[in-house]
Amino acid sequence: MQVQRVDHHELFEQIYTQAPIGIALASPEGQWTKANPAFCQMLGYTSEELLTRTYQDITHPDDLAGDFDYVCGLLEGKSKGYQYEKRYVRKDGQTLWISLHVALVRDEPTNEPLYFICHVVNISDRKAIEQKMAYKEEIFNLISTHAQEIIYIASTDGKCQFCSPSVQQLLGISPDDVLGKTNFEFFHPQDLERIKHINFTNGSLLRLRLRHKDGHYLWIETTCKMIGEAGQNQKILAIGRDISERKKHEEISAEAERIASIGSWEWDILNDYISCSDQIFEIFELERSRGPLRSGDIFKFIDPADGKRLREHIEWAIKGEPLDFEYRYVNADGNEKHLHLRGIMSFDEDDRPIRINGTLQDITERKLVEFKLQESVERYTSLKKYNHDAIISFNMKGNIMNANPVAIEMTGCPVSEMAGTPIARFIGEDNYRHIEQGQYELAEKEIDKILHVGGHETEVLATLAPIIINNKNVGFYLIAKDITEQKKLLIAKETAERMSQAKSEFLAMMSHEIRTPMNGVIGMTDLLLETEGLSGEQKEYIEIIKKSGESLLAIINDILDFSKIESGKTDLIDGPFDLKSVVHETIDMVKPGIREKKLKVGLTLDDKIPTPLFGDAYRLKQVLTNVIGNAVKFTSEGRIDIDVRLEEVKEFDACFRFRVKDTGIGIPVEKREHLFQPFYQLDNFMTRKPQGTGLGLAISKKLVQLMHGDIWIEENKEPGTTFVFTVWLKTKTSEEISIYQHEYERARTDSLRILIAEDNEVNQLVLRKMIEKKGHHVDNVVNGKDAVEAVKRAHYDIVFMDVHMPKLNGFEATRQIKETLPENECPFIVAVTANALRGDKERCLEAGMDAYVSKPIRSESVLPLIEDFNNRKKASSWR
């Protein structure tokens, strides 16, 4: 096979001519000697034009120095060729970036430089792109280096790929500390949990906390977004800024809003969008809404009537007036609030409303204060206007400021004429001078009349009250009470008191006059019945005398009891007793009547009744005797049922209910309201002989009330009558009960030495026999002076001291005994008096006497007193 011969010169010429890159030859001096079409086209010159120029002519001035260095290197043989980038200047003046490969061709035999071969590639487009990229990189570096925000790029798995230097300033760490790491440890635990559930695809604005190198947290507001195409190396770009100070100010502002109960809001009228601060939702007690609020939503929280007024105010605001609106809001729980809405309208250049900025304040507390103030003002105004006393106000100069209608009537001068004139014209110059000098108490005493412009006077009782404003006395109120009628009433009261005193003195005298002989009658019958050898007829006569005396004594006691209770001077004893025993003893007292009528008695006592109870057993027995006695009295046949129950217990107090039901003739309904009135007798409408005074139930009612209870007739369709009453008695602690029971068991009667000071021989004999029958030693004297001497000579345990005696009365004798003997040697002094009226007991005790008994003296009152003294004496020695 024949090989075709290749013309290499022709081939190289074609390559040179057709090459897409510039190829040129230049002499060692820089003169262009040959250039292919691509090179000429690249520079915009023709071949002929280019060959008239050197390489320095088309080189950018800034690159000449570099060219010179490369040419020198080739000429000096430092390198066979260089490739570098430089700029040419085209014929049209534009700069052309090229990539140049230059080599030096030498003569082989002589090694002399012949020419430079240049290969030129146009890189202007690439260079433009590189410059643009370099510019962008430079800008990015400037931003990332100098920005205050942290610029952070992370992969989708959270590893950091870039972090700006600002992280050093904000968090105290360098970018190298976080590159290639997830860096989750820098997030606050609460925020980290929230971040894990955020979708960054569409971008998010987050507020989170990042930990500084020294350990404290900073609030960072971060914009996060996913960048890059899905599935193609996507990244998360985050730009965060420090908002710690702003957050602090926001919290301070929010706290200030919370303290002031005020929230801020803005209404974008054009877009109908309302934005509110957190405090707005707090005021309405609602969770913060995630969606936008519209104007229509606001009216959901306003009463329709208030909503209509609000629309009117908004219309006024559109016309340029400030929005100022108060209304009442009731939440879902029914709680009422008072709110104050304020706002300012903003307008565009065409005066169209575009926005309202405002506040909403909870003014409930202020409104309540205003309501109270208004109420106080109205009360004050009403007090002045409708007060029955004259009220005149005047300033510190003594000039009248105002007056109420009563003052106008009292002075005969209207306020219009009175205002500004001196108060002295109505109270006198001297009295006003006392006020000027600060002698207010003296002024109040001296101002006893108000002058009328007509010349007459009104007697008054005056009071001065200072007018204090801001802790400063700015004037006075003169309050003048017309005492004309009161003086008349005072005279009537004094007259009534004198009549009452006369009545009391009369009852005291009658009591003394009746009780003294009755003491002898009843006492002697007691002694006479105990003598031996009496026939049955004699005993019967004595019994009749005794019963008649006791009936007369009961009438006297009822009258005196009622008089004492009416006067409010009845004192209840707070002593221990057994309630069950009191009930049994009361029934025993009325048993003769029960046996005589052959009545059946039912008694029910509550097992829960404690023992002992503390109260006045005597008065309780008196009430029981009245109620049960009436039941026996008005029941001719059948039965009587008595029921005692413990109703209620409060700490150491207990309420007891007593119910007494009989099968008697009953009481008409129309008569029941009179039963508890004094001197009203049941017999009056029962056609039976009157007995007693008609005071029993009246006394019982008052005694029950003193024991904090009540008494009434129970409605019952069955025959007979049912009386019910309640009383409150004290229940002491278990320790006190134990002591009481121990002392009660130990109590026994020992022989005592007793002195009787009594000038009446019969009374002396009766009392002596009663005491001696119990085994006590008795001495007696007939006047107070002898009583004092006897006590000085010998020791006595008890002295029965008559109040009215010759030489020295009982009061004075007691005083001398108390002054003469030491306290531990003084006898127990018992006052004996026929007076049993209001204040008698108190006068005896004030005189130093230790106890009190009234005449006629009966063993039932004397012997328990002696026994009680003996028990206390023994208990004292035991302790």
Side-chain angles (χ1 to χ4, degrees), residues 424-575:
R425 66 184 289 201
F426 299 111
I427 63 173
E429 292 289 347
D430 292 339
N431 292 332
Y432 177 67
R433 196 171 295 110
H434 294 322
I435 299 174
E436 274 190 314
Q437 296 171 355
Q439 299 173 329
Y440 305 128
E441 292 184 5
L442 178 60
E444 287 180 342
K445 292 178 181 178
E446 294 296 325
I447 299 173
D448 56 359
K449 57 183 173 294
I450 297 294
L451 303 176
H452 191 277
V453 292
H456 63 270
E457 301 172 346
T458 303
E459 290 189 82
V460 298
L461 183 65
T463 303
L464 283 171
I467 302 174
I468 307 295
I469 299 178
N470 295 328
N471 297 322
K472 183 179 180 181
N473 188 2
V474 298
F476 294 91
Y477 289 113
L478 172 65
I479 305 170
K481 177 183 287 295
D482 184 349
I483 61 171
T484 305
E485 292 299 322
Q486 281 81 348
K487 289 191 72 172
K488 294 179 182 178
L489 293 174
L490 183 62
I491 293 171
K493 178 176 177 292
E494 291 175 351
T495 302
E497 287 178 349
R498 285 196 299 270
M499 293 178 64
S500 176
Q501 179 66 25
K503 169 189 168 185
S504 298
E505 291 175 358
F506 172 75
L507 287 175
M509 180 186 68
M510 290 303 297
S511 170
H512 185 273
E513 293 300 322
I514 296 174
R515 282 176 178 268
T516 298
M518 284 301 301
N519 183 51
V521 173
I522 296 174
M524 290 306 294
T525 54
D526 282 342
L527 295 174
L528 191 58
L529 284 171
E530 293 178 5
T531 57
E532 298 179 358
L534 293 175
S535 65
E537 185 177 6
Q538 289 174 326
K539 283 187 177 182
E540 181 180 358
Y541 293 162
I542 296 172
E543 288 285 354
I544 293 172
I545 295 172
K546 182 179 179 182
K547 287 182 179 179
S548 298
E550 289 176 344
S551 296
L552 180 58
L553 183 60
I555 292 172
I556 296 171
N557 286 340
D558 278 353
I559 294 173
L560 294 177
D561 269 353
F562 186 75
S563 177
K564 286 164 61 177
I565 294 172
E566 280 286 284
S567 68
K569 293 297 183 179
T570 299
D571 294 326
L572 298 181
I573 298 172
D574 193 15

Side-chain angles (χ1 to χ4, degrees), residues 512 515-516 519 553 758 763 802 832-834 853-857:
H512 185 273
R515 282 176 178 268
T516 298
N519 183 51
L553 183 60
E758 170 64 67
N763 291 340
D802 187 24
V832 181
T833 177
V853 294
S854 60
K855 296 179 182 179
I857 297 174

